[in-house]
Amino acid sequence: MVDSHDRSPVRSARSGDIAVIYASDYLNKLSGERIERECRAHLGAGCRALVVDFKNTGLVNSIGVSIMLGVIDAAERAHAPLVFSNVNSQAAQLFEILGLTLHAALAADEHAALRMLSDLNVAHPQRVPVGKHT
Amino acid sequence: MSDQTTKLIHAFSALADLGEELADTRDFEEMVRTTLHVVLGALGVRRGAVAEYMQDDATLRFVAAWGLGDDAPATLPFAAASAEMLSAPHPRALSLSESEQLKLVQHQLGDTLVATLGELRLQLVVPLVVHKKFVGFILLGDKATDEEFTVYEREVVRTMARHIGVGIFNHRLLREVEQRAEESRGLYDNLRTIYRDTVRAFAAAIDCKDKYTQGHSERVGKYSEIIAREMGWSEEQVEGIAVAGYLHDIGKLVVERDIINAPYKIDAKQSSELNRHPAAGYEILAPIQHPYADIPLMAKYHHERIDGRGYPEGLTGDQIPPGAKIVSVADSFDAMTTDRTYKRRKVFTEVVEDFRKNAGKQFAPEVLAALCRAMLKEVNGETKERVMIKLLGKGYLEPEECRPLLVELIAELESGASLAAGSV
């Protein structure tokens, strides 16, 4: 896997047709919208699936939720499966209550997310079975 | 933690975030965009917008939109009558997805807007009303859960809408205050222009009375301005000294024309009459509220001398206002460098000699030094405009001749300036 956009405040990486975007420790509007733009950029560049990794994210507030809804929207418009990985338990509960998990799957970590998408064979995109996966 | 508690905490936390974002008024559109994120994220709504009602042209301006792709319009027409209808306090959230409400909503919003909102898949419309004034809408699409908005969620949105409405209302007030301030600035500028034009008209009137010194007041104004700027005065002060230069001889309006225009050396009585003009000028100028400080004093004391042998009060050194010292030098410089019917103007070397002789006696050395420095800069081509060269006429300041004289005189004046009795 090769890191890209080294100079961008949003870190992302590509694994074949899958883009992994790393959310920052606190999702405010500025950093959040950068993530959404990064996702759109990868989809525009031909990515067939997205992983947003929350390993470094302590808190997801209302702004963060709104941004993730934007990511969901972008992924759905591109028919690209979306997985959120490393989501902490509070954020996971919030995503579930607010319906985000109806549109994106949750994976325990980045590798699990990539495995999940590989199993789906993202070359032939289809919706990832949503909900929690470990 | 139960889902209900988590949801409640999330909504409370969103309300706190909203307050924080609304307090940040640096960038209005950024603030509205962020508050829209807060509302959408609080309830898990996938798309939405905040539209501000613009009363002047009866339109809704979409200040922020999220999840609408490229479909969000910049503005939509919105009838003033509808805005009036929505101005009741504590408005309800209007749902486009509930058929029993649709007729009422169509009545309140108009068929066109309802149709557009339908196309944008925006289904909940929350009017923003502050002090019985309709200021706009929060428009919300479907939730990520695809469920209807509950009564509890509508209350959360209404509460947030009240805060956002106040934010927009305050911004509007600020905009109005800024606009009025801008208008006031424009009026002030107009007044200053009128004032300056009036001053010029007075200067022309003063110079008309003295047929030998046409344009004298205007030239003294310009020389004074150049000297003050060279001495590092602020632009406001420079404008003031220019006005003082234009008006310094206004007192001549009350002196008999025959005395002013006498083509011979006037007698003591006539001289005494003529010497009344600085004090008379003060009397004329003092009742006027000038936009610059000390204009009447500069007129009153422009014939004072550093050594105390001037008039009307025989002030010495620092007793003379700095502006009057500048006008005095500008006045004398113009008198020396313009032809009168009874006297040819001095050549430049004579002017230099006069300055040298009278520095610290009639004139403040640092004011003379500033005039010489400004002249030297023009001679050396260091200034954009060559005002003095133009006023003095072609050939008066020959660079090869005047440059060494000016350099030498400046050095003398500056070295002696600190010792001079009357410093500015």
Side-chain angles (χ1 to χ4, degrees), chain B residues 303-311 314-316 361:
Chain B
H303 278 296
E304 295 290 358
R305 294 168 53 108
I306 301 297
D307 58 11
R309 291 173 56 222
Y311 60 94
L315 302 179
T316 58
K361 294 176 186 161

PDB file of all heavy atoms in Angstrom, chain B residues 303-311 314-316 361:
ATOM      1  N   HIS B 303       2.774  85.458  10.823  1.00  0.00           N
ATOM      2  CA  HIS B 303       3.787  86.522  10.717  1.00  0.00           C
ATOM      3  C   HIS B 303       4.608  86.647  12.011  1.00  0.00           C
ATOM      4  O   HIS B 303       5.343  87.627  12.174  1.00  0.00           O
ATOM      5  CB  HIS B 303       3.136  87.874  10.372  1.00  0.00           C
ATOM      6  CG  HIS B 303       2.854  88.024   8.903  1.00  0.00           C
ATOM      7  ND1 HIS B 303       3.863  88.059   7.954  1.00  0.00           N
ATOM      8  CD2 HIS B 303       1.691  88.112   8.202  1.00  0.00           C
ATOM      9  CE1 HIS B 303       3.323  88.166   6.742  1.00  0.00           C
ATOM     10  NE2 HIS B 303       1.999  88.199   6.867  1.00  0.00           N
ATOM     11  N   GLU B 304       4.480  85.680  12.882  1.00  0.00           N
ATOM     12  CA  GLU B 304       5.347  85.671  14.066  1.00  0.00           C
ATOM     13  C   GLU B 304       6.737  85.212  13.639  1.00  0.00           C
ATOM     14  O   GLU B 304       6.893  84.505  12.629  1.00  0.00           O
ATOM     15  CB  GLU B 304       4.791  84.712  15.141  1.00  0.00           C
ATOM     16  CG  GLU B 304       3.444  85.128  15.716  1.00  0.00           C
ATOM     17  CD  GLU B 304       3.514  86.379  16.597  1.00  0.00           C
ATOM     18  OE1 GLU B 304       4.626  86.915  16.791  1.00  0.00           O
ATOM     19  OE2 GLU B 304       2.455  86.828  17.078  1.00  0.00           O
ATOM     20  N   ARG B 305       7.748  85.648  14.412  1.00  0.00           N
ATOM     21  CA  ARG B 305       9.130  85.254  14.115  1.00  0.00           C
ATOM     22  C   ARG B 305       9.716  84.510  15.314  1.00  0.00           C
ATOM     23  O   ARG B 305       9.335  84.767  16.448  1.00  0.00           O
ATOM     24  CB  ARG B 305       9.978  86.497  13.839  1.00  0.00           C
ATOM     25  CG  ARG B 305       9.612  87.261  12.583  1.00  0.00           C
ATOM     26  CD  ARG B 305      10.313  88.609  12.564  1.00  0.00           C
ATOM     27  NE  ARG B 305      11.749  88.495  12.761  1.00  0.00           N
ATOM     28  CZ  ARG B 305      12.661  88.685  11.806  1.00  0.00           C
ATOM     29  NH1 ARG B 305      12.272  88.992  10.580  1.00  0.00           N
ATOM     30  NH2 ARG B 305      13.934  88.575  12.074  1.00  0.00           N
ATOM     31  N   ILE B 306      10.653  83.624  15.046  1.00  0.00           N
ATOM     32  CA  ILE B 306      11.283  82.842  16.117  1.00  0.00           C
ATOM     33  C   ILE B 306      11.933  83.765  17.162  1.00  0.00           C
ATOM     34  O   ILE B 306      11.924  83.494  18.360  1.00  0.00           O
ATOM     35  CB  ILE B 306      12.357  81.893  15.517  1.00  0.00           C
ATOM     36  CG1 ILE B 306      11.732  80.938  14.496  1.00  0.00           C
ATOM     37  CG2 ILE B 306      13.086  81.105  16.601  1.00  0.00           C
ATOM     38  CD1 ILE B 306      10.710  79.990  15.029  1.00  0.00           C
ATOM     39  N   ASP B 307      12.505  84.879  16.660  1.00  0.00           N
ATOM     40  CA  ASP B 307      13.208  85.787  17.589  1.00  0.00           C
ATOM     41  C   ASP B 307      12.267  86.751  18.311  1.00  0.00           C
ATOM     42  O   ASP B 307      12.710  87.651  19.038  1.00  0.00           O
ATOM     43  CB  ASP B 307      14.300  86.562  16.841  1.00  0.00           C
ATOM     44  CG  ASP B 307      13.730  87.385  15.668  1.00  0.00           C
ATOM     45  OD1 ASP B 307      12.485  87.512  15.572  1.00  0.00           O
ATOM     46  OD2 ASP B 307      14.527  87.869  14.847  1.00  0.00           O
ATOM     47  N   GLY B 308      10.976  86.645  18.099  1.00  0.00           N
ATOM     48  CA  GLY B 308      10.014  87.465  18.835  1.00  0.00           C
ATOM     49  C   GLY B 308       9.745  88.827  18.196  1.00  0.00           C
ATOM     50  O   GLY B 308       9.009  89.632  18.766  1.00  0.00           O
ATOM     51  N   ARG B 309      10.284  89.053  16.992  1.00  0.00           N
ATOM     52  CA  ARG B 309      10.101  90.375  16.385  1.00  0.00           C
ATOM     53  C   ARG B 309       8.960  90.390  15.359  1.00  0.00           C
ATOM     54  O   ARG B 309       8.830  91.325  14.575  1.00  0.00           O
ATOM     55  CB  ARG B 309      11.423  90.826  15.729  1.00  0.00           C
ATOM     56  CG  ARG B 309      12.512  91.141  16.789  1.00  0.00           C
ATOM     57  CD  ARG B 309      13.861  91.420  16.142  1.00  0.00           C
ATOM     58  NE  ARG B 309      13.800  92.485  15.164  1.00  0.00           N
ATOM     59  CZ  ARG B 309      14.421  92.466  13.978  1.00  0.00           C
ATOM     60  NH1 ARG B 309      15.144  91.404  13.642  1.00  0.00           N
ATOM     61  NH2 ARG B 309      14.327  93.479  13.148  1.00  0.00           N
ATOM     62  N   GLY B 310       8.150  89.362  15.429  1.00  0.00           N
ATOM     63  CA  GLY B 310       7.022  89.319  14.483  1.00  0.00           C
ATOM     64  C   GLY B 310       5.763  89.929  15.081  1.00  0.00           C
ATOM     65  O   GLY B 310       5.801  90.539  16.137  1.00  0.00           O
ATOM     66  N   TYR B 311       4.637  89.735  14.424  1.00  0.00           N
ATOM     67  CA  TYR B 311       3.368  90.265  14.917  1.00  0.00           C
ATOM     68  C   TYR B 311       2.296  89.213  14.691  1.00  0.00           C
ATOM     69  O   TYR B 311       2.520  88.285  13.905  1.00  0.00           O
ATOM     70  CB  TYR B 311       3.027  91.591  14.209  1.00  0.00           C
ATOM     71  CG  TYR B 311       2.893  91.500  12.697  1.00  0.00           C
ATOM     72  CD1 TYR B 311       1.644  91.299  12.107  1.00  0.00           C
ATOM     73  CD2 TYR B 311       4.003  91.624  11.855  1.00  0.00           C
ATOM     74  CE1 TYR B 311       1.514  91.221  10.730  1.00  0.00           C
ATOM     75  CE2 TYR B 311       3.858  91.549  10.468  1.00  0.00           C
ATOM     76  CZ  TYR B 311       2.610  91.345   9.914  1.00  0.00           C
ATOM     77  OH  TYR B 311       2.480  91.271   8.557  1.00  0.00           O
ATOM     78  N   GLY B 314       4.170  89.022  18.974  1.00  0.00           N
ATOM     79  CA  GLY B 314       5.597  88.942  19.279  1.00  0.00           C
ATOM     80  C   GLY B 314       5.971  87.655  20.008  1.00  0.00           C
ATOM     81  O   GLY B 314       6.820  87.652  20.914  1.00  0.00           O
ATOM     82  N   LEU B 315       5.368  86.568  19.627  1.00  0.00           N
ATOM     83  CA  LEU B 315       5.694  85.267  20.250  1.00  0.00           C
ATOM     84  C   LEU B 315       7.115  84.855  19.862  1.00  0.00           C
ATOM     85  O   LEU B 315       7.634  85.289  18.822  1.00  0.00           O
ATOM     86  CB  LEU B 315       4.707  84.188  19.784  1.00  0.00           C
ATOM     87  CG  LEU B 315       3.214  84.420  20.038  1.00  0.00           C
ATOM     88  CD1 LEU B 315       2.410  83.237  19.479  1.00  0.00           C
ATOM     89  CD2 LEU B 315       2.937  84.584  21.533  1.00  0.00           C
ATOM     90  N   THR B 316       7.711  84.005  20.694  1.00  0.00           N
ATOM     91  CA  THR B 316       9.049  83.495  20.367  1.00  0.00           C
ATOM     92  C   THR B 316       9.042  81.975  20.347  1.00  0.00           C
ATOM     93  O   THR B 316       8.211  81.348  21.007  1.00  0.00           O
ATOM     94  CB  THR B 316      10.092  83.926  21.417  1.00  0.00           C
ATOM     95  OG1 THR B 316       9.660  83.431  22.680  1.00  0.00           O
ATOM     96  CG2 THR B 316      10.260  85.429  21.470  1.00  0.00           C
ATOM     97  N   LYS B 361      16.082  83.098  13.292  1.00  0.00           N
ATOM     98  CA  LYS B 361      15.647  84.484  13.606  1.00  0.00           C
ATOM     99  C   LYS B 361      14.189  84.645  13.158  1.00  0.00           C
ATOM    100  O   LYS B 361      13.273  84.732  13.963  1.00  0.00           O
ATOM    101  CB  LYS B 361      16.550  85.497  12.898  1.00  0.00           C
ATOM    102  CG  LYS B 361      17.975  85.475  13.401  1.00  0.00           C
ATOM    103  CD  LYS B 361      18.829  86.429  12.585  1.00  0.00           C
ATOM    104  CE  LYS B 361      20.291  86.291  13.000  1.00  0.00           C
ATOM    105  NZ  LYS B 361      21.181  86.833  11.982  1.00  0.00           N
TER     106      LYS B 361
END
